[in-house]
Amino acid sequence: MTSTEQKHFNERAAGYETEIGEEYAQALKWQLIEKYSETGQTVIDVGGANGRHAVDLSCLGRKVICVDLSPGMLKQMCKRKEFLAITQEQRPIPVVSAAQSLPITNNSADMAYCFATLLLMPDQGNAIAELVRTVKPGGYIILDIARPWNIGWLYWRNHYKKIGFPGIFPLSAGNTRKLFRDLRCTVIESIATGFLSQLLYLPFVESRTRLRSLIHSTRQAPDLDGKISARIPTFANREYIVLQKAFET
């Protein structure tokens, strides 16, 4: 990311949301993090912002490294009462870094994840390769991959360009499959969401209808949007993908 992007997130840090969220698409992130990590393991949160996931994960006994380009976001994490309530040795370790060049040793973590960050990177393949590099053979990488065939991205591309970002960069399923093969990773789980959510970007739909409450639920199980997205993932807003790094031969 550029200095413009770093400045933007520094300025947003004080008011940035700390709750994980209860809608299915948000709760799913936490569900996957918890499912593929264990107590005592080392986990890297890339694009961790103010520790929205990292702090809660530390409370479950994981050793978390929280990486973000924004020093302001990480400072906010270290001020949170939830962070200060954790013992010194168990608190998430803040690391200021771009995702494309992580200052973390090869094969040192049991799991790494990155949510709502990769889509802002024209070179996100490099960032994904970095996550894979830091994880031990047999370890897991959880990614939030934006898909291109969705009208929601027209809105977000315009939004980010207006504030000085280069735009957003969804990846096709074919490109991601090739990338994962090149990185010697196997897809363990892939969950599409957001097919129906794109309708919320049409004028007046969210403000004048009950569509959001109809398509989204606060349960862990797939809501209506999740069920429909699973049937036509090509046109989903995004996919949450769990990779396993190849074991050494």
Side-chain angles (χ1 to χ4, degrees):
M1 290 188 182
T2 67
S3 57
T4 298
E5 293 159 294
Q6 188 178 59
K7 181 175 181 290
H8 170 77
F9 287 111
N10 283 340
E11 291 173 348
R12 292 189 64 201
Y16 202 72
E17 181 63 61
T18 59
E19 295 298 319
I20 291 172
E22 295 184 350
E23 284 190 356
Y24 169 66
Q26 298 300 320
L28 179 60
K29 299 176 185 180
W30 178 254
Q31 182 182 358
L32 292 173
I33 291 170
E34 193 173 15
K35 178 179 178 180
Y36 288 97
S37 64
E38 299 178 4
T39 300
Q41 289 188 334
T42 297
V43 177
I44 305 171
D45 179 344
V46 176
N50 60 6
R52 178 186 294 184
H53 296 96
V55 171
D56 284 8
L57 194 58
S58 289
C59 292
L60 292 184
R62 278 61 160 178
K63 301 173 183 177
V64 185
I65 301 170
C66 187
V67 180
D68 202 271
L69 185 71
S70 165
M73 283 289 188
L74 294 174
K75 286 178 182 177
Q76 283 299 125
M77 178 182 74
C78 296
K79 292 178 181 178
R80 289 177 55 190
K81 64 180 184 298
E82 298 89 350
F83 178 92
L84 296 172
I86 305 171
T87 60
Q88 186 80 39
E89 61 273 12
Q90 191 58 40
R91 291 173 183 169
I93 300 170
V95 175
V96 178
S97 174
Q100 299 93 329
S101 55
L102 299 173
I104 298 172
T105 307
N106 293 355
N107 306 322
S108 59
D110 298 282
M111 185 180 81
Y113 62 87
C114 185
F115 294 132
T117 300
L118 294 171
L119 79 164
L120 297 175
M121 304 176 189
D123 57 346
Q124 62 190 277
N126 293 335
I128 294 171
E130 277 291 273
L131 269 76
V132 173
R133 177 186 64 78
T134 62
V135 169
K136 300 173 184 177
Y140 297 103
I141 303 97
I142 307 176
L143 305 173
D144 172 3
I145 301 291
R147 293 305 189 200
W149 306 110
N150 188 288
I151 63 174
W153 299 124
L154 298 176
Y155 170 86
W156 287 112
R157 182 174 287 111
N158 290 336
H159 169 79
Y160 279 111
K161 284 191 173 182
K162 283 179 182 178
I163 58 179
F165 286 36
I168 59 169
F169 304 92
L171 284 180
S172 69
N175 285 338
T176 50
R177 283 195 296 268
K178 181 180 185 304
L179 176 62
F180 299 156
R181 285 196 302 270
D182 291 345
L183 294 173
R184 299 185 65 238
C185 288
T186 302
V187 176
I188 301 298
E189 194 167 355
S190 179
I191 305 171
T193 69
F195 173 74
L196 295 179
S197 293
Q198 66 183 305
L199 300 177
L200 298 173
Y201 294 101
L202 297 174
F204 310 115
V205 170
E206 182 156 21
S207 62
R208 298 185 183 180
T209 73
R210 296 179 56 247
L211 182 62
R212 176 172 288 277
S213 63
L214 292 173
I215 66 175
H216 289 302
S217 73
T218 58
R219 298 172 299 167
Q220 294 283 333
D223 54 16
L224 180 61
D225 176 75
K227 291 175 182 176
I228 299 299
S229 297
R231 292 179 176 273
I232 41 178
T234 299
F235 300 103
N237 179 285
R238 65 185 67 223
E239 279 189 87
Y240 296 104
I241 299 175
V242 181
L243 303 176
Q244 186 173 35
K245 184 174 178 176
F247 288 93
E248 293 179 333
T249 56

